[in-house]
Amino acid sequence: QVQLVESGGGLVQAGGSLRLSCVASGRTFSRADMAWFRQAPGKAREFVAAIRWSGGMTYYDDSVKGRFTISRGNAKNTVYLQMSSLKPEDTAVYYCAADMAGGRATYDYWGQGTQVTVSS
């Protein structure tokens, strides 16, 4: 059974930092592109960041560029999102996702999400 489990969310003041983790299990994820998305109340889910399995290239939405950093653990089944200089508009449920084929930006598996709340 494939599972993506996020953790690390919480309540933080504006300007603070959080580090989200996502642990994938049930399949080999070493060739999967991994990504983070978020969904704020009343809004559609939106892309935040992604990391390719090949070469480790990273991509960010403009709204988080320079503040968030996506990375993978050595075992390749863990992905992190380091979030700094957080703003109230970053408040959302954050989801990790896996594109098992790589390069499609079409995600086969999703986690259940972790809540991030940034107070002003």
Side-chain angles (χ1 to χ4, degrees), residues 63-109:
S63 65
V64 307
K65 205 171 289 184
R67 300 188 298 122
F68 291 10
T69 302
I70 188 171
S71 61
R72 294 181 79 145
N74 290 334
K76 305 301 182 188
N77 69 326
T78 303
V79 62
Y80 304 100
L81 186 69
Q82 178 67 48
M83 305 186 296
S84 302
S85 301
L86 283 161
K87 305 175 181 179
E89 52 263 43
D90 295 318
T91 294
V93 178
Y94 284 70
Y95 301 89
C96 72
D99 167 8
M100 300 306 292
R104 300 176 300 157
T106 299
Y107 296 92
D108 306 283
Y109 300 107

Side-chain angles (χ1 to χ4, degrees), residues 39-52:
Q39 187 168 19
K43 296 188 176 182
R45 187 176 295 184
E46 64 179 10
F47 170 79
V48 175
I51 185 165
R52 298 291 305 276

